[in-house]
Structure formats: structure tokens, C-alpha cells
Amino acid sequence: CATNCSASPTKTGIALLYDEVSENAYDIRLKLTKEVLTIQKQDVVCVSGSDHSANHRTVTLRRQPVGGLGLSIKGGAEHKVPVVVSKIFKDQAADQTGMLFIGDAIIQVNGINVESATHEEVVHLLRNAGDEVTITVQYLREAPSFLKLPLGSPGPSSDHSSGASSPLFDSGLHLNGNSTNTAPSSPSSPIANEPKYEKRWLDALSVPLSMARISRYKTGTDKLRSNAFEVLALDGVSTGILQLYTAQESADWLRAISTNISDLTLQNMKMANKCCSPSDQVIHMGWVNERLEGTDSSQLYKFKFLALKGSSFYIFSTPPVSTLDWVRAEKIYNLCEVLFKIHKLWLADDCWLQANLYLGIHQDLDLEDQRPYCFSVLVGHGKSHYFNVELGNELAVWEKSFQRAIFLEVQRTGSKTYVCSWQGDTLCFTIDFALGFTCFDSKTKNVLWRFKFSQLKGSSDDGKTRVKLLFQNLDTKQIETKELEFQDLTAVLHCIHSFIAAKVASVDPVFMDSQSIARKYMYSN
């Protein structure tokens, strides 16, 4: 709406951006709005006065009898990092200039270039440079976090980033004074027209969240990153690996980002549904990881985009953006003929009895897998797709959505008829929401037998084409066995399951909800 009445508040916080190649991590600030996740990097900007380049600043320090130069440095060429100002002591020489900041890399000392100098060499130069020292510095936007004090934490640097083991200690070029991490106070009498500098968070990268996806796993493995994740935009732009300081912060950010992605997906669905007939609405869509069959361990999973729309279950490699994109699906299955199954890797297998009706479908899909939040979709001819989602609440949403989409499709369809055979005769087998099961001769249309859903007491199959259905005769209470052969037995069994589950749900909706272990798990957690 024009007045922005429903705008969600902006969430901000400090994190580390982790570089897998160099194994460095540096401070960034995250800014999350309803539609965009922005990564901000710190930089020093000139806020007033004439300045040719805030990038390089040349500062003259006057050594004080008490406090020396009033700063500490870390780093050096031997650690493959520049020498960086790591502390500035309040009201002492460095602070009084108003031009030096924690995170400034020292480029020159009295005209001598020190970009490839060791720590000791720079300390030696600074200590022996006389009472006036001129240094040229450049603010290091991507300084490894162990070179700087963590933001907002006073006192010595607590090395809790990936560089914790690095022997990088502060060399203090001062004699006394309290360590502080506050922004330097402006000099008591700034000279007119002297440039004035400030440290600011500047936008470095914006990742649009519409159709974006979150990845918590190390590429191509089952290894979850600890308190870290990556957000990838639809156009492939990535935040890089965002490392949070605590598990709680990581969980909060994941929840906030995934909520915004879900809200935008919902908007996209509403837009798509305006162009679709009531019987062809999108029920749910979103990113998952699909386990690739028969692959080596380096490429276990691939991102896929799933959609439940009208009568079909779609699998895409990239999301459908326009109405024409729906024909580009890698796979399309009829919803009556699929079976959704949750893999609970943290509960005993026997917790999950899907409406107590398995109808002889083979349940051998519990793969050895380190990833939680997995589900499979069993399709025709005994095939299946095995998926993983990043967050537990997504699993509950997929379970509920599949159930809803399948039930809607069963009620819309009303009945399904399959051609089958028995002892040389070509027959038709109809599953009907109102009538139950009917078998008739395909030529004469004579009804051979008919039973209600409630009369089906069990089934067994040979895993190929043949099934035995066990019905109870209402008059004699005897069990009657009916045998049939189908070209795609799995599809028929799934269809029977869909119709019975939809029938149970229409009679007793509470029963179906009580069967949902994804939701049980979410509530108990």
C-alpha cells in the first residue's frame, strides 16, 4: 500500500564475512528489509573540509612524553596481512588527530613504504622515527577480523574468528592510557578547512530476496556450517558465507531471512494465481535440495525448485517466473499418483504411520544421510525423488501443502479409471471418491464387483505389476481377494492412497492433523 502501513521493521546486526580461500573473516553489517538483504562494509569517509582522497590519508603524529604515539598495531607481512592500527587510546596523540581509525592499514612511515614489511620492522621504524612521525594510511574494508577489535566489545581483542590461532598480538606504541574502542574524539581545536573523517557503514552488496535461497551446507557435502549460511539470489548473486558470533544469532537471522523469502514467495503465488483458473492455482512453491542418485560424494545434492499447482507436482531447475515457464519443468507428475513421505532422522521410524494405510508400498527409502529435514516423493513405476530443506518449519509447510494439494485434486477429479487385466481379460478399475472401488469389463461395461473404501482390509503386491486387494463382504463378513495386473502398479497404489486419505480427511480432519509428525516435531521443539 502507498502509505507503507505493513512495512516490517529493518533488522540490522554485525556478522563476519568468511572467505573460504584465504580463511579470513572480516566484520560486516547486515541490513535486512522486507525485500533485500544488504551487506555493508565499514569505510572511512571525509565528511567536511577539502579532501582529495579519503582512501589515502597522510597524518602527522607528535609523540607525547606520556602515551607515545597513542596507538597499537597488529599484523605484518610474515602473517600475510598488512600492519593495521588495532587500538587508539583516548585523548592521546593518534586520537587527537581525528584522522586515524582502528582498521587503518599503514602504507608509509616517514615516506618509507611498509606494505610488505614485517611486524617488527614497522614497530622499529615507528619507535625510532623521532618526535614527529608522518604516516600514510588506508582504511582496510576487508581487514581480517583478528586484526581489529570486535565491534562494541571494549578491552583487548577476543580472538574468536577463524584467525584465533594466529600469533597476532598488539604492539603498543604508547606507555599508558586506557584501551578504548570508541570512535576517536575530534581534536580540541580543528584547523579551519582541515578535512574531517568518520567511519561509516556503506552498502557493498544487495541481495534481492524474491525467489532467493538459503544454503547452510558446505558445498557438495552433508556438513552443516557452524553458525554460518549463505544467501543466493535468483540471478546467482551470493552474500558469501555469513558467520554469526552465536548459535542464537544465527538462528534468529535464518528465521528472519527465510520468513521474508516466504512472504515474497506468497506474493509471487498470488500474482501467478490471478492469471490462473480456480482449478489451476499454485498451492505452494519453493527451493529444496534434491539428492542425486548414484553420484559420488562430492555432489550429493542439487538445488531444485518445487511447485504444487492445479493437478500437478512440478520439479524445476530454476523457478518459473512467467506463465510460459511452467512448460519448462524437468518433471511433472499428477498429484493423485504421488506419495509424500517424511524421513524423520531424529525419531524412531515407527512414529510415522501415514493414515495407517501403506497399501503394500515398499518403504525402503530411509537412506543413510546426515541431513535432517528430508522428505521423499514417491512417483510412478517405483521411482522416487529425495529432498532436503534447510529449516524444520519448511518441512512442516511442505507436508501440509502436499496434503492439501492432493486432497483438492482428489475432490476435483472425483474419480480415476485405470486399464488393467486379469486372466487374459482387459478390465477397467475405477477409484471413485463417492462410490469406492469398481471393476468392470472394458468391452461390455458390465460391473464385475464394487466395494466401499471402508471394505478394503489390506493389500499385497509383487512389486512389479500384480496386486491383491482384500475386501470384506458386508453380508458374509468374509474376506474376498481380488487380483489385478497394472502397467504402472505404483501409480495406482498411490492413487488409492490419495483417495482414501482424502476420504479420511473429509470425514475427520483432526485425524489427519494428528498424523503430522513434522508439525508434532515443530511444536515439541
Side-chain angles (χ1 to χ4, degrees):
C1 55
T3 54
N4 210 9
C5 52
S6 63
S8 53
T10 300
K11 178 177 167 71
T12 57
I14 302 300
L16 291 168
L17 190 57
Y18 179 68
D19 183 331
E20 277 185 312
V21 181
S22 68
E23 296 193 346
N24 281 337
Y26 54 89
D27 290 314
I28 50 145
R29 185 169 178 262
L30 293 176
K31 185 172 82 177
L32 175 69
T33 60
K34 202 168 164 45
E35 298 189 359
V36 178
L37 176 65
T38 304
I39 289 181
Q40 297 179 320
K41 293 180 183 177
Q42 251 187 348
D43 213 340
V44 170
V45 292
C46 182
V47 289
S48 69
S50 59
D51 173 55
H52 306 298
S53 162
N55 218 0
H56 283 69
R57 281 161 281 130
T58 298
V59 185
T60 300
L61 295 171
R62 288 170 188 80
R63 200 185 302 274
Q64 294 173 342
V66 175
L69 298 176
L71 55 85
S72 292
I73 59 172
K74 262 188 181 180
E78 69 270 41
H79 304 300
K80 298 186 178 64
V81 289
V83 172
V84 169
V85 175
S86 57
K87 287 179 192 168
I88 289 175
F89 295 88
K90 199 164 174 59
D91 297 331
Q92 292 181 21
D95 186 22
Q96 285 170 4
T97 65
M99 287 176 67
L100 286 174
F101 298 86
I102 291 170
D104 275 340
I106 299 174
I107 293 165
Q108 289 187 343
V109 176
N110 285 349
I112 299 165
N113 187 295
V114 293
E115 285 178 280
S116 52
T118 65
H119 187 82
E120 280 311 310
E121 286 167 344
V122 177
V123 170
H124 182 78
L125 266 176
L126 287 167
R127 287 226 161 108
N128 299 297
D131 285 342
E132 272 204 356
V133 186
T134 301
I135 60 173
T136 301
V137 295
Q138 177 183 9
Y139 186 73
L140 214 56
R141 289 181 83 186
E142 299 177 7
S145 60
F146 52 82
L147 290 183
K148 297 193 280 182
L149 283 164
L151 281 135
S153 59
S157 170
S158 50
D159 288 338
H160 52 213
S161 81
S162 60
S165 60
S166 185
L168 291 167
F169 297 109
D170 288 303
S171 287
L173 302 162
H174 58 85
L175 297 171
N176 54 24
N178 296 318
S179 157
T180 170
N181 188 33
T182 54
S185 55
S186 53
S188 42
S189 54
I191 305 146
N193 226 6
E194 267 283 282
K196 187 170 184 297
Y197 296 95
E198 267 182 24
K199 228 187 220 187
R200 296 242 175 115
W201 287 109
L202 304 178
D203 291 358
L205 176 73
S206 290
V207 178
L209 295 177
S210 177
M211 302 281 200
R213 59 190 195 256
I214 294 171
S215 175
R216 297 164 66 209
Y217 292 89
K218 288 183 183 163
T219 315
T221 72
D222 277 347
K223 302 278 182 297
L224 260 180
R225 301 181 192 281
S226 174
N227 304 343
F229 56 88
E230 185 176 6
V231 182
L232 297 108
L234 182 57
D235 61 4
V237 171
S238 162
T239 56
I241 297 150
L242 304 174
Q243 178 99 39
L244 279 302
Y245 285 111
T246 65
Q248 185 59 52
E249 280 179 287
S250 179
D252 289 349
W253 274 100
L254 275 169
R255 193 177 302 116
I257 295 166
S258 83
T259 299
N260 288 13
I261 292 173
S262 301
D263 290 349
L264 292 168
T265 303
L266 215 58
Q267 280 181 26
N268 288 329
M269 278 164 48
K270 282 178 181 163
M271 290 292 290
N273 286 341
K274 280 181 182 171
C275 317
C276 299
S277 67
S279 63
D280 199 29
Q281 299 282 296
V282 180
I283 301 285
H284 187 56
M285 59 185 187
W287 285 103
V288 298
N289 302 294
E290 181 172 15
R291 185 179 174 120
L292 304 176
E293 279 185 42
T295 50
D296 62 355
S297 55
S298 67
Q299 255 322 133
L300 288 175
Y301 283 87
K302 200 166 187 178
F303 275 114
K304 289 289 162 78
F305 192 86
L306 308 185
L308 302 171
K309 180 179 189 282
S311 58
S312 302
F313 162 49
Y314 295 82
I315 303 176
F316 294 93
S317 55
T318 55
V321 180
S322 73
T323 43
L324 298 172
D325 290 343
W326 289 90
V327 296
R328 286 191 305 96
E330 290 180 356
K331 296 273 194 309
I332 304 176
Y333 299 104
N334 182 284
L335 280 166
C336 288
E337 296 179 349
V338 302
L339 181 72
F340 176 92
K341 186 192 173 202
I342 277 191
H343 294 262
K344 265 301 181 255
L345 302 169
W346 48 79
L347 292 179
D349 284 344
D350 58 4
C351 285
W352 177 231
L353 299 172
Q354 191 157 5
N356 298 325
L357 292 159
Y358 271 127
L359 297 158
I361 294 159
H362 295 287
Q363 300 298 315
D364 56 358
L365 267 161
D366 282 300
L367 304 169
E368 280 302 308
D369 200 310
Q370 298 305 304
R371 297 189 176 207
Y373 316 131
C374 295
F375 65 90
S376 54
V377 180
L378 285 67
V379 297
H381 294 290
K383 294 188 166 64
S384 65
H385 294 273
Y386 188 86
F387 302 108
N388 150 264
V389 287
E390 302 279 336
L391 304 168
N393 62 325
E394 295 177 273
L395 192 62
V397 171
W398 276 114
E399 183 186 29
K400 184 87 177 162
S401 302
F402 262 92
Q403 205 178 74
R404 192 165 147 246
I406 289 169
F407 292 174
L408 280 170
E409 177 54 17
V410 166
Q411 283 162 351
R412 252 198 315 266
T413 310
S415 76
K416 273 252 206 238
T417 299
Y418 294 92
V419 174
C420 59
S421 62
W422 184 241
Q423 292 176 337
D425 294 329
T426 304
L427 309 173
C428 290
F429 175 71
T430 299
I431 309 159
D432 187 287
F433 192 69
L435 301 174
F437 306 102
T438 308
C439 188
F440 59 91
D441 188 296
S442 64
K443 293 190 196 75
T444 64
K445 303 287 184 274
N446 284 344
V447 172
L448 305 178
W449 46 263
R450 178 173 279 149
F451 294 99
K452 293 178 183 170
F453 288 125
S454 57
Q455 289 174 269
L456 180 66
K457 296 303 174 190
S459 73
S460 63
D461 65 82
D462 64 358
K464 297 185 188 82
T465 59
R466 193 173 292 191
V467 65
K468 286 181 183 177
L469 299 171
L470 309 175
F471 296 104
Q472 185 174 37
N473 185 310
L474 291 178
D475 302 324
T476 65
K477 299 286 182 263
Q478 296 297 307
I479 296 291
E480 295 183 23
T481 302
K482 303 295 180 189
E483 287 193 56
L484 298 169
E485 278 192 66
F486 293 93
Q487 263 201 310
D488 185 353
L489 177 62
T490 331
V492 178
L493 292 176
H494 290 171
C495 189
I496 293 173
H497 182 275
S498 298
F499 271 74
I500 291 180
K503 193 76 175 173
V504 171
S506 68
V507 176
D508 183 4
V510 180
F511 171 74
M512 289 314 288
D513 267 358
S514 73
Q515 294 301 304
S516 162
I517 50 168
R519 289 198 290 287
K520 272 184 205 161
Y521 172 75
M522 293 316 296
Y523 297 141
S524 67
N525 255 29

Short mmCIF file of all heavy atoms in Angstrom, two decimals, residues 285-324:
data_model
loop_
_atom_site.label_atom_id
_atom_site.label_comp_id
_atom_site.label_asym_id
_atom_site.label_seq_id
_atom_site.Cartn_x
_atom_site.Cartn_y
_atom_site.Cartn_z
N MET A 285 5.13 -23.28 -3.40
CA MET A 285 6.35 -23.48 -4.19
C MET A 285 7.55 -23.00 -3.39
O MET A 285 7.39 -22.19 -2.46
CB MET A 285 6.25 -22.76 -5.54
CG MET A 285 6.04 -21.26 -5.49
SD MET A 285 5.81 -20.62 -7.18
CE MET A 285 5.81 -18.85 -6.87
N GLY A 286 8.72 -23.49 -3.74
CA GLY A 286 9.92 -23.07 -3.01
C GLY A 286 11.13 -23.93 -3.35
O GLY A 286 11.02 -24.97 -4.02
N TRP A 287 12.29 -23.47 -2.86
CA TRP A 287 13.55 -24.17 -3.11
C TRP A 287 13.71 -25.37 -2.18
O TRP A 287 13.33 -25.32 -1.01
CB TRP A 287 14.73 -23.23 -2.88
CG TRP A 287 14.95 -22.22 -3.95
CD1 TRP A 287 14.62 -20.89 -3.90
CD2 TRP A 287 15.57 -22.43 -5.23
NE1 TRP A 287 14.98 -20.26 -5.07
CE2 TRP A 287 15.57 -21.19 -5.91
CE3 TRP A 287 16.11 -23.55 -5.87
CZ2 TRP A 287 16.09 -21.03 -7.19
CZ3 TRP A 287 16.64 -23.39 -7.14
CH2 TRP A 287 16.62 -22.15 -7.78
N VAL A 288 14.33 -26.42 -2.68
CA VAL A 288 14.75 -27.58 -1.87
C VAL A 288 16.10 -28.02 -2.43
O VAL A 288 16.57 -27.51 -3.45
CB VAL A 288 13.74 -28.76 -1.99
CG1 VAL A 288 12.37 -28.38 -1.47
CG2 VAL A 288 13.64 -29.24 -3.43
N ASN A 289 16.72 -28.99 -1.77
CA ASN A 289 17.90 -29.66 -2.34
C ASN A 289 17.46 -31.06 -2.73
O ASN A 289 16.82 -31.74 -1.93
CB ASN A 289 19.01 -29.79 -1.30
CG ASN A 289 19.43 -28.44 -0.74
OD1 ASN A 289 19.97 -27.61 -1.43
ND2 ASN A 289 19.15 -28.20 0.55
N GLU A 290 17.79 -31.49 -3.94
CA GLU A 290 17.47 -32.87 -4.32
C GLU A 290 18.71 -33.73 -4.26
O GLU A 290 19.76 -33.35 -4.77
CB GLU A 290 16.87 -32.96 -5.72
CG GLU A 290 16.53 -34.41 -6.07
CD GLU A 290 15.76 -34.61 -7.36
OE1 GLU A 290 15.70 -33.68 -8.19
OE2 GLU A 290 15.22 -35.71 -7.55
N ARG A 291 18.57 -34.88 -3.62
CA ARG A 291 19.69 -35.82 -3.57
C ARG A 291 19.83 -36.48 -4.94
O ARG A 291 18.86 -36.99 -5.49
CB ARG A 291 19.44 -36.88 -2.51
CG ARG A 291 20.63 -37.80 -2.35
CD ARG A 291 20.38 -38.85 -1.28
NE ARG A 291 21.49 -39.77 -1.26
CZ ARG A 291 22.27 -39.98 -0.22
NH1 ARG A 291 22.05 -39.34 0.90
NH2 ARG A 291 23.25 -40.85 -0.28
N LEU A 292 21.04 -36.44 -5.47
CA LEU A 292 21.27 -37.03 -6.79
C LEU A 292 21.59 -38.50 -6.62
O LEU A 292 22.43 -38.87 -5.81
CB LEU A 292 22.42 -36.31 -7.49
CG LEU A 292 22.22 -34.79 -7.62
CD1 LEU A 292 23.46 -34.16 -8.24
CD2 LEU A 292 21.00 -34.47 -8.46
N GLU A 293 20.91 -39.33 -7.38
CA GLU A 293 21.12 -40.77 -7.25
C GLU A 293 22.39 -41.21 -7.96
O GLU A 293 22.74 -40.68 -9.01
CB GLU A 293 19.92 -41.52 -7.83
CG GLU A 293 18.75 -41.58 -6.85
CD GLU A 293 17.63 -42.44 -7.40
OE1 GLU A 293 17.92 -43.50 -7.98
OE2 GLU A 293 16.47 -42.02 -7.26
N GLY A 294 23.06 -42.17 -7.35
CA GLY A 294 24.23 -42.78 -7.98
C GLY A 294 25.36 -41.82 -8.27
O GLY A 294 26.08 -41.96 -9.24
N THR A 295 25.50 -40.80 -7.41
CA THR A 295 26.59 -39.85 -7.64
C THR A 295 27.69 -40.08 -6.63
O THR A 295 27.47 -40.73 -5.61
CB THR A 295 26.09 -38.40 -7.45
OG1 THR A 295 25.40 -38.32 -6.21
CG2 THR A 295 25.17 -37.98 -8.56
N ASP A 296 28.86 -39.55 -6.92
CA ASP A 296 29.93 -39.65 -5.92
C ASP A 296 29.64 -38.63 -4.81
O ASP A 296 28.80 -37.76 -4.95
CB ASP A 296 31.30 -39.41 -6.55
CG ASP A 296 31.41 -38.01 -7.14
OD1 ASP A 296 30.41 -37.28 -7.13
OD2 ASP A 296 32.51 -37.65 -7.60
N SER A 297 30.36 -38.74 -3.73
CA SER A 297 30.02 -37.96 -2.53
C SER A 297 30.26 -36.46 -2.70
O SER A 297 29.80 -35.67 -1.92
CB SER A 297 30.83 -38.46 -1.34
OG SER A 297 32.21 -38.41 -1.66
N SER A 298 30.99 -36.06 -3.78
CA SER A 298 31.30 -34.64 -3.90
C SER A 298 30.08 -33.82 -4.36
O SER A 298 30.01 -32.63 -4.13
CB SER A 298 32.46 -34.43 -4.87
OG SER A 298 32.02 -34.78 -6.17
N GLN A 299 29.14 -34.45 -5.04
CA GLN A 299 27.96 -33.71 -5.50
C GLN A 299 26.70 -34.42 -5.05
O GLN A 299 25.96 -34.96 -5.85
CB GLN A 299 27.95 -33.60 -7.02
CG GLN A 299 28.30 -32.29 -7.62
CD GLN A 299 27.80 -31.03 -6.91
OE1 GLN A 299 28.52 -30.17 -6.74
NE2 GLN A 299 26.58 -30.85 -6.49
N LEU A 300 26.47 -34.42 -3.76
CA LEU A 300 25.33 -35.17 -3.24
C LEU A 300 24.00 -34.54 -3.60
O LEU A 300 23.04 -35.22 -3.88
CB LEU A 300 25.43 -35.26 -1.72
CG LEU A 300 26.51 -36.19 -1.18
CD1 LEU A 300 26.57 -36.08 0.32
CD2 LEU A 300 26.23 -37.62 -1.59
N TYR A 301 23.95 -33.19 -3.53
CA TYR A 301 22.67 -32.51 -3.67
C TYR A 301 22.72 -31.41 -4.72
O TYR A 301 23.76 -30.82 -4.95
CB TYR A 301 22.26 -31.87 -2.33
CG TYR A 301 21.72 -32.87 -1.36
CD1 TYR A 301 22.55 -33.58 -0.51
CD2 TYR A 301 20.35 -33.12 -1.29
CE1 TYR A 301 22.05 -34.51 0.38
CE2 TYR A 301 19.83 -34.05 -0.40
CZ TYR A 301 20.68 -34.74 0.44
OH TYR A 301 20.17 -35.65 1.31
N LYS A 302 21.57 -31.13 -5.29
CA LYS A 302 21.46 -30.04 -6.26
C LYS A 302 20.20 -29.25 -5.91
O LYS A 302 19.17 -29.83 -5.57
CB LYS A 302 21.33 -30.64 -7.66
CG LYS A 302 21.69 -29.67 -8.75
CD LYS A 302 21.87 -30.40 -10.07
CE LYS A 302 22.40 -29.44 -11.13
NZ LYS A 302 22.62 -30.11 -12.39
N PHE A 303 20.30 -27.91 -6.01
CA PHE A 303 19.12 -27.08 -5.75
C PHE A 303 18.04 -27.36 -6.81
O PHE A 303 18.33 -27.41 -7.99
CB PHE A 303 19.48 -25.59 -5.80
CG PHE A 303 20.02 -25.07 -4.51
CD1 PHE A 303 21.35 -24.64 -4.41
CD2 PHE A 303 19.21 -24.98 -3.38
CE1 PHE A 303 21.84 -24.14 -3.22
CE2 PHE A 303 19.71 -24.49 -2.19
CZ PHE A 303 21.03 -24.06 -2.10
N LYS A 304 16.81 -27.53 -6.34
CA LYS A 304 15.67 -27.67 -7.24
C LYS A 304 14.54 -26.78 -6.71
O LYS A 304 14.47 -26.51 -5.50
CB LYS A 304 15.18 -29.13 -7.29
CG LYS A 304 16.14 -30.07 -8.02
CD LYS A 304 16.17 -29.84 -9.51
CE LYS A 304 17.39 -30.42 -10.21
NZ LYS A 304 17.33 -31.84 -10.44
N PHE A 305 13.67 -26.36 -7.61
CA PHE A 305 12.53 -25.52 -7.22
C PHE A 305 11.27 -26.34 -7.46
O PHE A 305 11.02 -26.81 -8.57
CB PHE A 305 12.51 -24.23 -8.05
CG PHE A 305 11.56 -23.20 -7.53
CD1 PHE A 305 11.95 -22.31 -6.53
CD2 PHE A 305 10.26 -23.10 -8.02
CE1 PHE A 305 11.07 -21.35 -6.03
CE2 PHE A 305 9.38 -22.15 -7.53
CZ PHE A 305 9.78 -21.27 -6.54
N LEU A 306 10.50 -26.57 -6.39
CA LEU A 306 9.30 -27.40 -6.49
C LEU A 306 8.05 -26.53 -6.48
O LEU A 306 8.03 -25.47 -5.84
CB LEU A 306 9.21 -28.39 -5.32
CG LEU A 306 10.42 -29.28 -5.03
CD1 LEU A 306 10.08 -30.26 -3.92
CD2 LEU A 306 10.88 -30.02 -6.28
N ALA A 307 7.01 -26.99 -7.17
CA ALA A 307 5.74 -26.27 -7.14
C ALA A 307 4.58 -27.26 -7.16
O ALA A 307 4.64 -28.30 -7.83
CB ALA A 307 5.64 -25.33 -8.34
N LEU A 308 3.55 -26.94 -6.38
CA LEU A 308 2.31 -27.70 -6.39
C LEU A 308 1.27 -26.77 -7.01
O LEU A 308 0.92 -25.74 -6.43
CB LEU A 308 1.91 -28.08 -4.96
CG LEU A 308 2.95 -28.89 -4.19
CD1 LEU A 308 2.56 -29.02 -2.72
CD2 LEU A 308 3.11 -30.27 -4.80
N LYS A 309 0.80 -27.14 -8.21
CA LYS A 309 -0.11 -26.24 -8.93
C LYS A 309 -1.18 -27.06 -9.63
O LYS A 309 -0.86 -27.99 -10.37
CB LYS A 309 0.70 -25.43 -9.95
CG LYS A 309 -0.11 -24.45 -10.80
CD LYS A 309 0.85 -23.70 -11.74
CE LYS A 309 0.17 -22.56 -12.48
NZ LYS A 309 -0.65 -23.01 -13.61
N GLY A 310 -2.43 -26.70 -9.38
CA GLY A 310 -3.54 -27.41 -10.02
C GLY A 310 -3.47 -28.89 -9.76
O GLY A 310 -3.42 -29.34 -8.61
N SER A 311 -3.40 -29.68 -10.83
CA SER A 311 -3.40 -31.14 -10.65
C SER A 311 -1.99 -31.72 -10.64
O SER A 311 -1.82 -32.92 -10.61
CB SER A 311 -4.21 -31.79 -11.79
OG SER A 311 -3.63 -31.42 -13.02
N SER A 312 -0.96 -30.83 -10.67
CA SER A 312 0.39 -31.36 -10.90
C SER A 312 1.41 -30.96 -9.83
O SER A 312 1.29 -29.92 -9.19
CB SER A 312 0.91 -30.88 -12.25
OG SER A 312 0.05 -31.30 -13.29
N PHE A 313 2.43 -31.82 -9.73
CA PHE A 313 3.62 -31.56 -8.91
C PHE A 313 4.76 -31.35 -9.90
O PHE A 313 5.05 -32.20 -10.73
CB PHE A 313 3.87 -32.77 -8.00
CG PHE A 313 5.26 -32.84 -7.41
CD1 PHE A 313 5.83 -31.73 -6.80
CD2 PHE A 313 6.00 -34.02 -7.47
CE1 PHE A 313 7.12 -31.80 -6.27
CE2 PHE A 313 7.27 -34.10 -6.92
CZ PHE A 313 7.84 -32.98 -6.33
N TYR A 314 5.39 -30.15 -9.83
CA TYR A 314 6.44 -29.77 -10.78
C TYR A 314 7.81 -29.77 -10.11
O TYR A 314 7.93 -29.35 -8.96
CB TYR A 314 6.20 -28.34 -11.28
CG TYR A 314 4.95 -28.14 -12.11
CD1 TYR A 314 3.71 -27.95 -11.50
CD2 TYR A 314 5.02 -28.09 -13.50
CE1 TYR A 314 2.57 -27.73 -12.26
CE2 TYR A 314 3.88 -27.86 -14.28
CZ TYR A 314 2.65 -27.69 -13.64
OH TYR A 314 1.53 -27.46 -14.39
N ILE A 315 8.84 -30.18 -10.86
CA ILE A 315 10.23 -30.04 -10.42
C ILE A 315 10.96 -29.19 -11.47
O ILE A 315 10.99 -29.55 -12.65
CB ILE A 315 10.93 -31.40 -10.26
CG1 ILE A 315 10.17 -32.29 -9.27
CG2 ILE A 315 12.38 -31.22 -9.80
CD1 ILE A 315 10.72 -33.70 -9.13
N PHE A 316 11.52 -28.06 -11.03
CA PHE A 316 12.25 -27.15 -11.92
C PHE A 316 13.71 -27.06 -11.50
O PHE A 316 14.02 -27.24 -10.32
CB PHE A 316 11.68 -25.72 -11.82
CG PHE A 316 10.28 -25.55 -12.33
CD1 PHE A 316 9.19 -25.66 -11.48
CD2 PHE A 316 10.04 -25.24 -13.66
CE1 PHE A 316 7.89 -25.48 -11.93
CE2 PHE A 316 8.74 -25.05 -14.14
CZ PHE A 316 7.66 -25.17 -13.27
N SER A 317 14.58 -26.68 -12.43
CA SER A 317 15.95 -26.35 -12.04
C SER A 317 16.05 -24.86 -11.69
O SER A 317 16.86 -24.46 -10.88
CB SER A 317 16.95 -26.72 -13.14
OG SER A 317 16.57 -26.08 -14.34
N THR A 318 15.19 -24.03 -12.33
CA THR A 318 15.10 -22.61 -11.96
C THR A 318 13.63 -22.25 -11.84
O THR A 318 12.79 -22.82 -12.54
CB THR A 318 15.74 -21.69 -13.03
OG1 THR A 318 15.14 -21.99 -14.29
CG2 THR A 318 17.25 -21.90 -13.12
N PRO A 319 13.30 -21.31 -10.96
CA PRO A 319 11.88 -21.01 -10.70
C PRO A 319 11.14 -20.50 -11.95
O PRO A 319 11.74 -19.81 -12.78
CB PRO A 319 11.93 -19.90 -9.65
CG PRO A 319 13.27 -20.00 -9.03
CD PRO A 319 14.18 -20.51 -10.09
N PRO A 320 9.85 -20.84 -12.05
CA PRO A 320 9.05 -20.30 -13.15
C PRO A 320 8.71 -18.84 -12.84
O PRO A 320 8.13 -18.55 -11.80
CB PRO A 320 7.78 -21.17 -13.10
CG PRO A 320 7.70 -21.65 -11.68
CD PRO A 320 9.10 -21.72 -11.17
N VAL A 321 9.12 -17.93 -13.70
CA VAL A 321 8.89 -16.51 -13.43
C VAL A 321 7.67 -16.02 -14.22
O VAL A 321 6.87 -15.25 -13.71
CB VAL A 321 10.15 -15.67 -13.78
CG1 VAL A 321 9.91 -14.20 -13.50
CG2 VAL A 321 11.35 -16.16 -12.97
N SER A 322 7.51 -16.51 -15.46
CA SER A 322 6.34 -16.11 -16.24
C SER A 322 5.45 -17.34 -16.46
O SER A 322 5.85 -18.46 -16.18
CB SER A 322 6.78 -15.57 -17.60
OG SER A 322 7.22 -16.64 -18.42
N THR A 323 4.25 -17.08 -16.98
CA THR A 323 3.30 -18.19 -17.19
C THR A 323 3.86 -19.20 -18.20
O THR A 323 3.56 -20.38 -18.12
CB THR A 323 1.95 -17.65 -17.71
OG1 THR A 323 2.22 -16.66 -18.71
CG2 THR A 323 1.15 -17.02 -16.60
N LEU A 324 4.69 -18.72 -19.13
CA LEU A 324 5.25 -19.62 -20.15
C LEU A 324 6.26 -20.60 -19.55
O LEU A 324 6.53 -21.66 -20.11
CB LEU A 324 5.94 -18.81 -21.25
CG LEU A 324 5.05 -17.85 -22.05
CD1 LEU A 324 5.88 -16.98 -22.97
CD2 LEU A 324 4.02 -18.64 -22.85
#
